[in-house]
Each structure stands twice: as C-alpha cells, then as structure tokens.
Amino acid sequence: MVRLFLFTSLACFMFFSAAQAAGLRFLAIPEDQNGSSIDAAVWSPCIQPTEEVQIRAFKIRAAPDCPITGEALPLIIISHGYGGWFLGHHDTAEALADTGFVVVAINHPHANYADMSRANGLPPLVERPRDIKRAIDFMLSGFAEASKIDPQRVGFYGFSQGGYTGLVIAGGNPDFGKLPRRCPDPEAAGCQHSNKTNPSGETRVIPVLTHDARVKAMVVSDPLSVVFQTKDSVKDIDIPIQLWGSERGSATGALKDASILRAVLPDKPDFHIAPNAVHMSFLTMCPQANMSSEVCRDSPGFDRASFHKMFNAEVVAFFRKHLAP
C-alpha cells in the first residue's frame, strides 16, 4: 500500500537497547586488490554522554570513540548519492545507533564530494556495490569490535545512486543502456562506457556486478532506478525493501521511476511517498552556513527537520522488523 504521510503521524517504535547516545568513530577500510582505501564513519550504541563534534560545517552530537554497548548487534551500511559523503545521512545513522544498530557510512572512492575524479560513466556504477561488499567484509572481520556484530543481521540504506547500489547488492541486474549521459564529453576518461549501445540497441559492455546475500533488508530513497524498469532486471531481488520516493522528485523523474520500480519488484516493497519533498530532501539537515546550497533547497513550506524525524522513525521500525534476533 502506498502511504502519503503527514508529519503529524509519527510512527511509534521500541528501542533495542538502553543506550541513548551515538558513539562515533572514523576509520579507513584498507585498500586491496578490489580498490582504493575507503573512508568511513561508524556510529554505534553508547552509554557515554555526547559532546558537540565539529566536522567541516556540521556540528554533530556524538560520543567520540565510545566502546560499543551491546552484543550480537545488527549492522547497517549507508551508501551516499552522486557527489555525496558519509555524513550526508548522519541523522538517520544516529537514530539507528541510538536504538541498537551499528551503522557504517562510507565515502565511495573517487566518487564523493572531495574527489569526483572517477565519478562518471559506467565504472563507478560497477565499483559501488563492490565497495559495499568490502565494507561488510571489514566490519565483520577487520573492525576492532567486529565481535559485537551479528553477521546474520546486515541491512542497507542508500539514497539516489546509493539506492541503485543497494538494488544491485540485493541481486538487481541493471540495464545500463537506459542511463542518461552525465559527461559533457562522452569520449572523456571514464565516460566511454556510460551508455553506448550497438545498432541493435543492446549495451556493448556487460560488466560483472557484485551481489551480496548477507544483506537481509534494505531501505532505498529516490534510487537511481531508471536502469531497473523491467521485471527481468529485478527478478532476483528477494529481500524486504522499504522504498521512498519524493513527491516533487527532480529533473530525473525520481518518483516516476520509483513507482515503476515498485510495480516490477517481485515482492512488493513497503512504498512511501514523501509529501512535498524534492530529491535532496532526503539529505540531512543543512548547517546554517550552507543554506544557500542547492542541496539545501526544499519546496516552499517543507520542513526537512520534521520530515526526517518521521522518516528516521519509519526506517528504524522497518529494520527492527526485518533484522530482529
């Protein structure tokens, strides 16, 4: 059922643990044969008091380097959108950590706000799911407190290209021939395989994509889903999905594509429409110094803070339901 939420209808949920503060640490997932090192932020349940942590223009309440409170905790991986970064959804990460989840958000290498050197074309779309698998591998084996995580309860949250990333991880096989061109010069480095087709209309390059059956449930908001518009492209996705679309979308037609994705998924997702929201409304609240930025502009009358309070409650409730012990 499609649910058009009012901000006054806040979902209720119960807490996993007594921890009411988000521990926060930063780490680097080492480079390996599959790619460069990956910068990551990790939030976790914590019983220590929080303090204000300044990160660029953001002021975040957190308990730096707090030991993880709890055992056999579920793990959530967060994937940002095009040009995003690991703090782009920090309020959602904090809400999850406060209720008993370990959350890791990554910067996709060479495709994030600080380094867009390889952000265009087909290569980053192939590498993104691989980044997620590497992050899960690290959190379950290389992370200092890996023993606190239950490897049977792994979830995923992704926005925009991050949503695309999750759908591939879950078993999706995108039709790259549907991609819009992003590069001004189609022959530029990294753009050669963006969406070139042969005369019959079939994509020339069919890359090997990374799927990961350890992910048991996922939430995706305004995903890049133009490449998932047929039943064949999503036929192998069989995990619970909560799917969000912004009512006002963006120039790419996010809500239309999300609605088609909802229709073709083999198991109907928990589908939500965010009223009066634009694509960027799923990003965390902006610092005052950044309010003029395009990513901070909402529709007239839209209250991003109120929306995120409701949104985070729904995300927490969904993961509690599907990643319960």
Side-chain angles (χ1 to χ4, degrees):
M1 177 182 295
V2 179
R3 286 180 280 177
L4 186 65
F5 283 96
L6 298 177
F7 295 148
T8 54
S9 60
L10 182 63
C12 296
F13 58 91
M14 297 176 64
F15 295 102
F16 265 131
S17 73
Q20 293 292 299
L24 175 63
R25 71 190 77 186
F26 298 95
L27 51 82
I29 298 169
E31 65 178 320
D32 61 15
Q33 68 274 16
N34 292 312
S36 305
S37 64
I38 300 174
D39 291 329
V42 179
W43 290 263
S44 57
C46 171
I47 59 174
Q48 295 180 4
T50 62
E51 61 186 71
E52 188 172 84
V53 180
Q54 181 88 35
I55 308 165
R56 293 179 62 85
F58 285 88
K59 294 180 180 179
I60 296 173
R61 297 296 307 184
D65 301 316
C66 179
I68 294 177
T69 299
E71 302 290 339
L73 301 175
L75 172 69
I76 305 295
I77 312 294
I78 295 181
S79 174
H80 62 72
Y82 181 82
W85 69 319
F86 57 36
L87 288 188
H89 307 278
H90 74 80
D91 63 299
T92 303
E94 291 159 13
L96 287 163
D98 283 347
T99 52
F101 294 84
V102 176
V103 184
V104 57
I106 68 170
N107 279 351
H108 288 281
H110 312 295
N112 61 74
Y113 84 102
D115 177 6
M116 295 287 282
S117 59
R118 298 207 299 266
N120 294 308
L122 187 58
L125 298 181
V126 175
E127 292 161 8
R128 274 175 158 268
R130 191 182 305 149
D131 297 339
I132 299 304
K133 181 181 184 301
R134 289 177 59 203
I136 296 173
D137 289 344
F138 178 82
M139 293 301 295
L140 297 183
S141 59
F143 179 52
E145 295 189 79
S147 62
K148 300 289 185 75
I149 299 172
D150 184 349
Q152 301 304 314
R153 294 195 288 154
V154 179
F156 174 93
Y157 170 65
F159 162 69
S160 197
Q161 274 197 16
Y164 152 87
T165 304
L167 293 169
V168 173
I169 281 287
N173 292 292
D175 177 2
F176 289 120
K178 302 293 186 183
L179 281 174
R181 293 191 184 277
R182 190 185 295 276
C183 303
D185 177 8
E187 299 302 321
C191 296
Q192 290 88 340
H193 303 297
S194 175
N195 64 341
K196 289 190 173 185
T197 56
N198 62 25
S200 66
E202 297 174 344
T203 304
R204 287 177 178 173
V205 180
I206 304 178
V208 176
L209 295 171
T210 300
H211 310 305
D212 197 325
R214 292 174 297 183
V215 174
K216 306 300 184 185
M218 72 174 47
V219 178
V220 292
S221 55
D222 267 2
L224 172 66
S225 53
V226 67
V227 292
F228 297 107
Q229 302 289 277
T230 65
K231 290 184 177 181
D232 190 59
S233 66
V234 295
K235 65 181 180 182
D236 296 326
I237 297 178
D238 62 359
I239 64 172
I241 292 178
Q242 186 177 83
L243 171 63
W244 290 78
S246 56
E247 184 179 37
R248 297 193 177 276
S250 67
T252 60
L255 180 57
K256 176 185 175 183
D257 292 340
S259 298
I260 295 174
L261 173 63
R262 171 190 176 238
V264 299
L265 281 167
D267 296 320
K268 298 310 173 194
D270 177 20
F271 186 41
H272 302 244
I273 297 173
N276 199 29
V278 297
H279 186 60
M280 296 301 183
S281 298
F282 288 108
L283 294 173
T284 197
M285 287 66 70
C286 290
Q288 194 61 40
N290 291 8
M291 292 306 292
S292 61
S293 170
E294 181 181 355
V295 302
C296 302
R297 296 175 191 162
D298 293 304
S299 300
F302 183 84
D303 185 332
R304 191 178 294 198
S306 294
F307 168 71
H308 275 250
K309 189 174 182 180
M310 177 276 296
F311 172 77
N312 291 339
E314 290 293 332
V315 170
V316 169
F318 175 83
F319 281 131
R320 286 196 67 253
K321 176 180 179 181
H322 295 289
L323 297 178

